[in-house]
Amino acid sequence: MTETLTRVGVVGLGYVGLPLALAMHDRDYDVVGVDTDTNKIETLRSGESTVEDVTDDEVATAVETGLTFSTDYSDLANVDGVSICVPTPLRKTDTPDLSFVIDAAERLAPVVPAGCTVVLESTVYPGATEDALADILAENGVIVGEDLYLAFSPERIDPGNEEYGPTDIPKVLGGVTEACGDRAEALYDPVFDEVVRVDSSTEAELVKLLENTFRAVNIGLINELAQIAHELNVDIWNVIDAADTKPFGFMSFYPGPGLGGHCIPVDPFYLSWKADQHGVDTRFIDLADTVNREMPTHIANRIVKQLNDRGTALSNANVLVFGAAYKPEVSDTRESPAIDIIAELDGWHATVDYHDPHVPKLDVGDEIYESVSLTDERLQGADCVILVTDHSALDIDHIVDEAKLVFDARNATRGREDDHVIRL
Ligand SMILES: NC(=O)c1ccc[n+]([C@@H]2O[C@H](COP(=O)([O-])OP(=O)(O)OC[C@H]3O[C@@H](n4cnc5c(N)ncnc54)[C@H](O)[C@@H]3O)[C@@H](O)[C@H]2O)c1
């Protein structure tokens, strides 16, 4: 970047948008971050972070050096580029919910100036940037590719991953037209170590869905393998480690209590919904989903058996669940398998508590659970302890030493060979 700062906006300041806004600010763009959540904007303005991957210091320094936060879209009136990072959840019917993207586009359309480049980062179905966004932005005779530029660039961050930050991960990008792709590439090139240009926004959308569907399907396969291995009295974790010594043609995936987060359980449905519109059956996706959704029940059934062998019925048992977040080191509980496991155990009338240093409260159906403090008395009093999320803050050895029965859904107890420790 040269003397003249280029002004960019980031719309939606969550796990994706906030790190992106900071990365753009670090590369000397003049950045305004916009979010409809007033509390979030106030927190950010006061120099406090709202996601784990960004520290308070980073936000405070960015604010001091000119990064601004706003709830007002009119602050985007003179930007050269805008990245949209709003949620794309599923409806109750497991179909795509683009309402946040559409809302953002409708608010942007009247304010973004001519020549602006709009990049959608939120995961969407193939074709959505062109079908759903272009028409809204192309108000009043605006021609996409001439008066306004539109592209899709999937966010590929992995919150909690200290090895790969947002700008280290190659940035896939495709424009609605060639000119749109060129403009978006010029906007992102100074920010990311590598921009991977693909032929169209639809191609870029499918890249993201391929990556996450690949994970969902392989996790489904390994969850099925885990159930087979259990019946064969074989340790699936040893099997995976040994298979992983093959230097080609194998990639490790690990079983677990079920899929979690905003991406892996959700994104395959964006693909299957679109495939269905074209009359294509998505058998792999559907099967993986079935297997993955059955994991909490599989775990509950194995706990029932273990408790029975010890003369306790699950309905009379005290169960302590460790970890409510969907993965280690984050507080994100969206689609967390801990929720399904607690609901499943509650369905058996067990008394369930959970402990998670990152998650003070957890909604399970109509009930709100509060994280209990971790005391030796509580550990010793539980009939079963379930390790659902292996945050590094948890002292696994201490838990194993104090608990009567441990069900480890994450191989967090690897290396311990105790009779009261059961691994998935
Ligand atoms: N979280 C991840 O690890 C991850 C990784 C890759 C891709 N994604 C995708 O990125 C997108 C964003 O995910 P996220 O995890 O950052 O979501 P998030 O819920 O953490 O953040 C979204 C933010 O958008 C704001 N918002 C909602 N509607 C708005 C509007 N109309 N205008 C302005 N702000 C609005 C919300 O207040 C919130 O702060 C999703 O499509 C998700 O699938 C997420």
Side-chain angles (χ1 to χ4, degrees):
M1 309 275 314
T2 51
E3 319 87 64
T4 337
L5 292 183
T6 309
R7 194 163 162 80
V8 296
V10 176
V11 169
L13 299 168
Y15 288 91
V16 168
L18 183 60
L20 179 62
L22 288 166
M24 289 177 142
H25 174 76
D26 279 350
R27 298 301 199 274
D28 288 342
Y29 276 116
D30 184 5
V31 183
V32 54
V34 172
D35 200 292
T36 45
D37 181 339
T38 318
N39 291 335
K40 187 172 279 190
I41 291 300
E42 273 169 20
T43 307
L44 291 168
R45 277 178 177 161
S46 74
E48 261 182 69
S49 177
T50 46
V51 297
E52 288 88 356
D53 281 350
V54 172
T55 63
D56 290 348
D57 264 3
E58 286 170 305
V59 176
T61 308
V63 170
E64 277 162 26
T65 52
L67 175 57
T68 56
F69 294 111
S70 173
T71 52
D72 188 352
Y73 270 70
S74 64
D75 287 339
L76 298 167
N78 62 351
V79 291
D80 300 300
V82 183
S83 302
I84 304 178
C85 311
V86 296
T88 46
L90 290 174
R91 297 187 188 285
K92 285 207 168 76
T93 49
D94 283 344
T95 54
D97 176 0
L98 289 196
S99 58
F100 296 95
V101 173
I102 289 169
D103 181 57
E106 285 174 348
R107 292 170 190 247
L108 274 175
V111 295
V112 285
C116 183
T117 302
V118 178
V119 184
L120 179 62
E121 294 263 341
S122 309
T123 308
V124 288
Y125 58 80
T129 306
E130 208 172 335
D131 301 345
L133 269 193
D135 280 353
I136 301 172
L137 292 171
E139 268 190 345
N140 308 324
V142 166
I143 298 175
V144 171
E146 289 180 24
D147 310 312
L148 185 120
Y149 303 93
L150 179 59
F152 180 78
S153 179
E155 182 50 74
R156 305 161 96 189
I157 52 157
D158 180 19
N161 186 329
E162 287 180 4
E163 199 179 343
Y164 295 103
T167 56
D168 312 327
I169 306 164
K171 200 78 178 92
V172 170
L173 186 156
V176 166
T177 67
E178 191 70 14
C180 292
D182 291 346
R183 294 293 182 120
E185 189 173 344
L187 185 73
Y188 274 18
D189 205 44
V191 181
F192 296 95
D193 292 355
E194 185 187 351
V195 171
V196 179
R197 182 78 178 268
V198 294
D199 285 347
S200 65
S201 50
T202 307
E203 209 169 283
E205 289 156 343
L206 194 50
V207 169
K208 175 71 185 177
L209 296 179
L210 163 64
E211 290 167 6
N212 283 357
T213 304
F214 174 80
R215 279 191 69 74
V217 167
N218 279 289
I219 293 169
L221 173 66
I222 208 70
N223 277 336
E224 187 168 278
L225 259 289
Q227 295 178 46
I228 298 169
H230 169 64
E231 293 302 326
L232 298 175
N233 211 13
V234 168
D235 186 325
I236 185 68
W237 308 93
N238 287 343
V239 172
I240 298 167
D241 285 350
D244 201 27
T245 60
K246 189 176 180 184
F248 51 87
F250 182 79
M251 184 183 281
S252 305
F253 284 86
Y254 297 96
L259 301 181
H262 187 6
C263 295
I264 312 293
V266 171
D267 298 355
F269 285 98
Y270 271 71
L271 184 52
S272 56
W273 178 82
K274 194 67 188 173
D276 185 52
Q277 289 192 331
H278 290 267
V280 179
D281 277 348
T282 49
R283 286 163 290 177
F284 274 108
I285 296 175
D286 300 344
L287 184 58
D289 180 59
T290 304
V291 175
N292 291 330
R293 277 185 204 242
E294 283 169 0
M295 290 312 285
T297 309
H298 170 73
I299 289 174
N301 288 340
R302 286 187 55 189
I303 289 170
V304 167
K305 167 109 184 41
Q306 288 295 330
L307 286 172
N308 272 348
D309 290 350
R310 289 164 168 78
T312 306
L314 181 54
S315 55
N316 294 327
N318 290 314
V319 182
L320 185 53
V321 171
F322 276 96
Y326 82 92
K327 68 173 185 173
E329 323 310 345
V330 301
S331 62
D332 193 347
T333 58
R334 289 177 291 184
E335 314 288 330
S336 174
I339 297 170
D340 297 324
I341 288 179
I342 293 174
E344 179 84 27
L345 298 171
D346 187 56
W348 284 81
H349 306 296
T351 304
V352 191
D353 286 308
Y354 86 93
H355 172 79
D356 189 314
H358 298 269
V359 182
K361 284 196 170 114
L362 183 69
D363 286 355
V364 180
D366 297 334
E367 230 178 299
I368 298 174
Y369 285 72
E370 286 189 16
S371 175
V372 295
S373 58
L374 188 50
T375 60
D376 286 352
E377 203 180 14
R378 189 163 261 135
L379 267 174
Q380 291 155 4
D383 297 293
C384 181
V385 160
I386 312 178
L387 300 176
V388 175
T389 315
D390 47 343
H391 292 300
S392 57
L394 296 177
D395 184 345
I396 303 293
D397 279 328
H398 185 69
I399 293 170
V400 170
D401 288 342
E402 299 299 326
K404 286 187 240 175
L405 172 65
V406 178
F407 189 95
D408 176 5
R410 295 290 185 186
N411 201 21
T413 58
R414 66 187 74 83
R416 300 259 337 208
E417 295 305 330
D418 309 67
D419 287 345
H420 68 293
V421 176
I422 316 300
R423 275 187 277 275
L424 182 63

